[in-house]
Amino acid sequence: MTDDLAAYRHRRDLAASGEPEGSASSSSGEHPIFVIQKHDARTLHYDVRLEVDGVLKSWAVPKGPSTDPSVRRLAQPTEDHPLDYARFEGVIPEGHYGAGTVLVWDTGTYRNLRAEKPDDGASMQQSLEEGKVEVWLDGRKLRGGYALIRMKDRDGWLLIKMNDDEADARRNPVRTEPDSVLTGRSLDEIRAQEGD
Ligand code: MN
């Protein structure tokens, strides 16, 4: 994975795309933040981002997160994003990288579960390097443990709901709760209000 914002800035004309330049370098709260952005680009996907050391580590998850521990969702690593991207919602114009509509599908804070285990204690940076991230999400739609596991001999990772009290195979929030947690808007409403 990349480890700074050079790739983010290199790919974008930020003045024209309307996306954040990345001025904030740490969140204000006690816990690091996470955000999941629904991004209707060439193909619809969900960008899962975790705050680590002043940037948002990012994965694109085509099918979005599941609350069912038996489901494994492919998660493709993408470039680090600036922290203030976590509140970005709008339309990236045609011709720009990631052109399409973005909404904040879920956001909140997270805890590093590996750091809390006495026999483990791995930092988020270590977890990323080892390809084994375990976090507890406190979001509006998603709660509980989620693992991000790098597949052996491949570039891809898997996003898996851990088996805990918040696991629920009957829920399907990607389908039943499709809209923004910040503004309540759908992708269509954002397109209509903010598109050209
Ligand atoms: Mn995306």
Side-chain angles (χ1 to χ4, degrees):
M1 303 182 84
T2 52
D3 58 3
D4 61 40
L5 298 174
Y8 173 84
R9 295 196 174 103
H10 181 71
R11 287 179 180 169
R12 291 171 173 79
D13 177 355
L14 294 170
S17 77
E19 296 166 282
E21 288 174 34
S23 47
S25 60
S26 67
S27 65
S28 51
E30 179 187 352
H31 295 293
I33 61 162
F34 82 94
V35 64
I36 300 174
Q37 280 156 318
K38 186 176 177 181
H39 186 185
D40 190 13
R42 270 179 306 178
T43 56
L44 180 74
H45 60 272
Y46 294 76
D47 289 301
V48 174
R49 311 189 197 279
L50 300 173
E51 175 186 0
V52 180
D53 297 340
V55 297
L56 294 172
K57 295 288 171 184
S58 300
W59 294 260
V61 180
K63 292 184 177 175
S66 175
T67 54
D68 179 349
S70 72
V71 171
R72 291 153 178 253
R73 291 280 157 86
L74 192 66
Q76 200 63 40
T78 59
E79 77 275 20
D80 296 350
H81 277 53
L83 280 186
D84 40 13
Y85 207 90
R87 300 188 67 79
F88 175 71
E89 202 164 81
V91 178
I92 302 169
E94 281 302 320
H96 289 268
Y97 181 73
T101 307
V102 177
L103 67 69
V104 176
W105 184 78
D106 199 12
T107 191
T109 59
Y110 80 87
R111 293 173 9 232
N112 173 7
L113 291 173
R114 292 189 59 188
E116 296 175 3
K117 291 181 196 161
D119 58 346
D120 186 342
S123 68
M124 284 299 288
Q125 201 63 53
Q126 276 175 285
S127 300
L128 291 165
E129 283 163 17
E130 293 172 10
K132 185 182 173 212
V133 171
E134 294 178 2
V135 289
W136 182 277
L137 303 182
D138 280 305
R140 301 262 295 275
K141 296 173 183 172
L142 299 186
R143 293 184 53 79
Y146 277 82
L148 276 154
I149 307 294
R150 187 167 56 221
M151 288 186 277
K152 296 230 179 332
D153 306 324
R154 292 200 237 172
D155 290 337
W157 293 53
L158 294 171
L159 174 66
I160 307 164
K161 177 75 194 76
M162 295 167 73
N163 209 346
D164 54 36
D165 287 350
E166 301 292 343
D168 188 347
R170 295 162 304 178
R171 277 185 74 205
N172 185 359
V174 163
R175 182 168 53 77
T176 61
E177 300 171 67
D179 299 334
S180 167
V181 292
L182 291 189
T183 61
R185 294 182 297 175
S186 66
L187 284 170
D188 283 342
E189 287 168 327
I190 292 171
R191 247 188 309 271
Q193 290 167 8
E194 304 195 20
D196 290 325

